[in-house]
Amino acid sequence: MKFIKITFLVLALSISLFAREQVNVSFSNLAVNDFIKLISKITNKNILINNKINGTVDFVSTSPIYDDELMGILIAVLESKGYTLVQNGSIYEVVRATEAAKHNVKVISSYKNASGSLMVTQAIRVHNENVDIVAAKIRYLISKTAKLMTMRESNTLLITDYPKNIKTIKEVINNLEMRKERVVKIIELKNTEAKKLQSHINEIAKSIFNTKVVSQNVKVLLDTNINGLILIGNKRNVAILEKLIKKLDIESNVNKTVKIFELKNSDAKAVLKNLNDIVAKQVFSDPSLKPNLSASEEINAVIVVGDPTIIKGIKLIIDELDKEKYQVYVQARIIEINKDNAVNLGVRYGFDGAALSAEGLYSLAANFGGAPVQGIVGNALASSLVGSGVAQGFALGAAVDFLETNGASKSISNPSILCVNNKESSIYVGKTISVSTGTVTSTTGLTGLTSSYKREDVGLTLTIKPRVSSNDKVTLDVSVVLENILDDGSKNVTGQPVTSKQEVKTQAILRHGESIIIGGLVKNYERDSVSKVPLLGDIPLIGSWLFSSKAKTKEQDNLVVILTPYVIDKSEKLSKLQKDLGLLAKMQKSYDKEVFQEIKNKKLEVKSDAKP
């Protein structure tokens, strides 16, 4: 019975000694030295203060904390002042943090985990990496007052720091150690030449592993004695390459080394030229790996004979080159505007009559943009998918139609052309004339001259080269050449026709459905006119002398070209575009009708207001 009482007393005493107690602590503007004394009393620890520490500390607590956590709070406060605690037997001494390592800081064995709040010293062994490199990588993890040194002879880190920091550093180093674990794998090949497969595996490794990360790299070495490959690297990456090698180590099969790529959107000769240029610049470790390329015009295909791995890369190139090409459907409207008639028309309706240039035509079109299209047509216009600038296009179209309706312009041609992206296309509108190239006198008994002629085209040539940058934006390289006949040969001694030539080259970036006006192609000519008194002017002899007069007037025509591109990314959208353009043509007529009527009404209102 006595033994049982003694045992119970010892157990109760042990529990009371090691039990964690909770305390309520909260203070404000408490001097640091007083705070140290307070912690000493609560934790029942002896603390030696050699230096007076200035400053105060605040601690706000909403719930009780354990008494053993107070030492951590004290160390945090001291560290903010440049000090820390070191233990010397049963006494805790306040020392400068930078000198803590000199005060017999506790040393922890390298295989144990550091704990507590006080600074400790521990050696950390590094296995698979240079210790100086590791030290440089983890230096930012240590506290600013910690000490870190490396021992190269044992590849070991020696660090004096707080246990929490040391624990973090060890975890980081362990992760680096696991990632740096390297293995060696020897793979004997049965069906494939090792030298030939080595280059393939190296290319694959560069493609699937990040070569900038050293731990990801896998070395692929050749062993000709066993016709095998030796892999050295990360265990996971080596396993990946090992599986690939086993799949590639198969018997040669001609069906796998010959590939015919039938092209759907590109010309086989053009693709072959690009492939030959690429292959010619490649360096092959084994010349036998260089593929043979040829083209078949009958089936429009590229034939490749070579290693399966290289053919796979060539296939990727062919797939990109054989993508469906962008097409651009360009509507052109070529009109000839008479300067005098346009000016007279402008005076009559109160418009700007300078409609002979791109700016003038746009200015005139501004008068036609105010009338909304009503009813079903208006709703269709609002929901139209053909271009974002359709409303402005209707105003421009109405302006051109208004000029033509009132005799101020005439339509030369309204061609349309479907262009392939980055391919030049052209339109020619004109006529062909005969030009004498010389005469030959007959040397036979027959007398006479033999003349020779050549045919020359004289007219308008429109050349367009589109370059699509997105689904709704295209750059047009435009060239317009205008040739006119000034004299058919009847007004000069030579009897040869005299022609003029005007050329405009420009580049424009347009959106899908947006229009551009190209002007500046001017034609000057003289026109003979006769004015006479009715009836009297028709009297023979004296009528033309007394009652009529003749005059020559100089007139000027301006040739204007309006271009509207539509971008087509897929061939099946062409039919939809044609349908939409047909709808737009109907909309234009309805729009013109409403706008013209509104302009006439305004003219009548102006006249009625002008009457007294």
Side-chain angles (χ1 to χ4, degrees):
M1 186 71 179
K2 185 177 180 181
F3 174 75
I4 294 174
K5 287 182 179 181
I6 294 173
T7 303
F8 178 77
L9 181 63
V10 172
L11 181 61
L13 181 61
S14 300
I15 293 173
S16 64
L17 288 174
F18 293 100
R20 299 179 73 193
E21 295 182 2
Q22 288 186 325
V23 294
N24 288 308
V25 180
S26 183
F27 46 83
S28 177
N29 202 27
L30 180 65
V32 175
N33 285 340
D34 293 335
F35 176 62
I36 296 173
K37 295 175 183 178
L38 176 64
I39 299 300
S40 176
K41 290 179 180 180
I42 295 175
T43 61
N44 198 27
K45 297 185 185 298
N46 301 318
I47 300 177
L48 175 62
I49 307 173
N50 291 325
N51 301 292
K52 183 179 180 180
I53 304 175
N54 297 322
T56 59
V57 60
D58 297 327
F59 183 75
V60 180
S61 175
T62 58
S63 60
I65 63 173
Y66 291 104
D67 55 353
D68 58 355
E69 292 177 333
L70 290 173
M71 289 299 288
I73 297 174
L74 174 58
I75 290 174
V77 172
L78 291 174
E79 189 176 13
S80 67
K81 305 298 180 181
Y83 293 87
T84 190
L85 279 181
V86 295
Q87 186 177 4
N88 188 6
S90 62
I91 298 175
Y92 292 85
E93 183 178 356
V94 179
V95 299
R96 295 189 181 277
T98 55
E99 300 176 356
K102 300 178 181 179
H103 289 79
N104 298 323
V105 174
K106 186 178 180 181
V107 179
I108 305 297
S109 299
S110 59
Y111 57 87
K112 290 185 178 181
N113 292 324
S115 60
S117 303
L118 302 179
M119 273 190 169
V120 297
T121 298
Q122 189 171 34
I124 304 173
R125 182 73 180 272
V126 180
H127 297 284
N128 297 317
E129 185 61 275
N130 185 289
V131 67
D132 291 323
I133 295 176
V134 173
K137 292 178 179 178
I138 57 92
R139 192 172 294 276
Y140 75 98
L141 296 174
I142 67 176
S143 60
K144 62 182 180 180
T145 56
K147 300 295 182 183
L148 175 66
M149 65 176 294
T150 59
M151 294 180 288
R152 297 179 183 176
E153 60 276 6
S154 59
N155 211 48
T156 302
L157 287 171
L158 189 62
I159 183 170
T160 300
D161 202 350
Y162 296 103
K164 289 183 178 180
N165 287 352
I166 293 178
K167 182 180 178 182
T168 301
I169 291 169
K170 290 177 72 175
E171 289 179 359
V172 172
I173 293 176
N174 286 336
N175 287 334
L176 293 175
E177 293 281 304
M178 292 176 63
R179 293 178 183 178
K180 290 293 291 184
E181 183 182 358
R182 301 177 77 82
V183 298
V184 178
K185 190 75 175 180
I186 301 174
I187 304 172
E188 185 176 350
L189 303 179
K190 299 178 180 178
N191 302 302
T192 308
E193 185 183 350
K195 184 178 179 181
K196 185 177 181 180
L197 189 57
Q198 180 192 21
S199 61
H200 299 337
I201 297 301
N202 273 323
E203 292 297 323
I204 294 172
K206 290 177 183 179
S207 301
I208 62 177
F209 303 139
N210 189 348
T211 56
K212 295 182 179 179
V213 179
V214 177
S215 60
Q216 293 290 312
N217 290 338
V218 178
K219 287 187 177 180
V220 182
L221 305 179
L222 176 67
D223 189 337
T224 55
N225 294 327
I226 62 170
N227 189 42
L229 298 176
I230 304 173
L231 306 180
I232 305 173
N234 180 286
K235 185 176 181 180
R236 173 180 168 275
N237 293 352
V238 167
I240 292 173
L241 292 184
E242 183 181 5
K243 290 181 180 178
L244 290 173
I245 291 172
K246 289 181 179 179
K247 288 182 179 180
L248 294 173
D249 185 25
I250 56 178
E251 292 184 7
S252 178
N253 191 329
V254 71
N255 293 328
K256 293 184 179 180
T257 56
V258 177
K259 189 71 176 179
I260 300 175
F261 299 96
E262 294 186 13
L263 305 183
K264 299 178 181 179
N265 303 295
S266 301
D267 180 65
K269 278 190 173 182
V271 173
L272 177 64
K273 182 179 182 302
N274 291 329
L275 291 174
N276 281 327
D277 290 342
I278 294 172
V279 171
K281 295 177 181 178
Q282 300 299 312
V283 178
F284 297 92
S285 56
D286 185 353
S288 63
L289 296 177
K290 187 175 181 179
N292 294 320
L293 308 170
S294 60
S296 172
E297 295 185 35
E298 293 181 1
I299 60 173
N300 192 41
V302 174
I303 304 170
V304 184
V305 180
D307 186 88
T309 305
I310 296 178
I311 292 178
K312 185 178 179 181
I314 291 175
K315 180 182 182 301
L316 295 176
I317 300 173
I318 292 176
D319 289 344
E320 288 297 318
L321 294 175
D322 193 37
K323 281 185 176 180
E324 187 169 1
K325 306 295 188 296
Y326 276 104
Q327 297 183 87
V328 180
Y329 184 78
V330 182
Q331 279 190 324
R333 190 169 184 178
I334 306 169
I335 59 175
E336 193 175 75
I337 304 174
N338 184 275
K339 178 181 177 182
D340 293 337
N341 292 343
V343 172
N344 294 334
L345 183 62
V347 173
R348 191 190 317 163
Y349 285 92
F351 296 152
D352 178 14
L356 298 179
S357 64
E359 294 79 5
L361 197 53
Y362 277 125
S363 176
L364 177 65
N367 298 283
F368 296 82
V373 181
Q374 305 297 331
I376 298 175
V377 176
N379 295 333
L381 173 60
S383 61
S384 175
L385 300 177
V386 184
S388 58
V390 174
Q392 294 84 352
F394 276 114
L396 178 59
V400 174
D401 292 341
F402 188 77
L403 287 172
E404 188 171 351
T405 303
N406 289 273
S409 71
K410 63 179 179 179
S411 178
I412 302 300
S413 178
N414 296 317
S416 300
I417 186 169
L418 184 62
C419 310
V420 178
N421 189 32
N422 286 317
K423 296 290 185 180
E424 191 177 274
S425 301
S426 62
I427 301 172
Y428 171 75
V429 179
K431 61 182 180 180
T432 304
I433 62 173
S434 298
V435 179
S436 174
T437 58
T439 59
V440 178
T441 303
S442 176
T443 58
T444 62
L446 299 176
T447 60
L449 299 175
T450 302
S451 300
S452 58
Y453 296 87
K454 67 176 181 179
R455 306 289 283 174
E456 293 285 351
D457 293 332
V458 179
L460 176 71
T461 303
L462 174 64
T463 305
I464 301 172
K465 182 179 180 181
R467 186 170 65 255
V468 179
S469 56
S470 65
N471 285 341
D472 65 342
K473 190 176 289 187
V474 59
T475 300
L476 294 181
D477 290 327
V478 182
S479 173
V480 182
V481 179
L482 175 62
E483 294 175 304
N484 288 314
I485 301 174
L486 301 179
D487 179 8
D488 61 359
S490 61
K491 297 179 181 180
N492 61 75
V493 180
T494 62
Q496 295 293 319
V498 179
T499 61
S500 65
K501 181 178 180 180
Q502 294 170 297
E503 184 174 1
V504 175
K505 288 186 178 181
T506 186
Q507 188 178 74
I509 301 175
L510 301 175
R511 292 189 179 278
H512 176 77
E514 193 174 22
S515 298
I516 182 177
I517 303 174
I518 300 174
L521 301 172
V522 180
K523 180 173 69 174
N524 296 305
Y525 58 92
E526 291 184 351
R527 174 176 291 176
D528 295 330
S529 61
V530 178
S531 59
K532 56 185 177 180
V533 178
L535 298 178
L536 296 177
D538 295 328
I539 299 174
L541 299 178
I542 63 172
S544 60
W545 182 51
L546 295 176
F547 304 106
S548 63
S549 62
K550 295 181 180 180
K552 285 188 177 182
T553 58
K554 291 184 177 181
E555 295 194 12
Q556 186 182 86
D557 287 348
N558 192 353
L559 197 70
V560 175
V561 180
I562 303 175
L563 300 177
T564 307
Y566 300 96
V567 180
I568 304 168
D569 58 347
K570 294 182 180 178
S571 298
E572 55 266 24
K573 291 186 178 180
L574 181 59
S575 58
K576 183 180 183 303
L577 175 65
Q578 296 285 6
K579 184 178 179 181
D580 289 342
L581 291 177
L583 177 62
L584 283 177
K586 295 179 181 179
M587 291 181 186
Q588 182 72 65
K589 291 181 179 179
S590 299
Y591 188 89
D592 290 354
K593 183 177 179 181
E594 294 185 22
V595 172
F596 292 176
Q597 186 60 46
E598 183 179 345
I599 290 173
K600 290 178 181 178
N601 292 338
K602 288 182 180 180
K603 179 183 177 184
L604 292 175
E605 290 175 5
V606 172
K607 284 185 176 181
S608 62
D609 293 340
K611 290 181 179 180

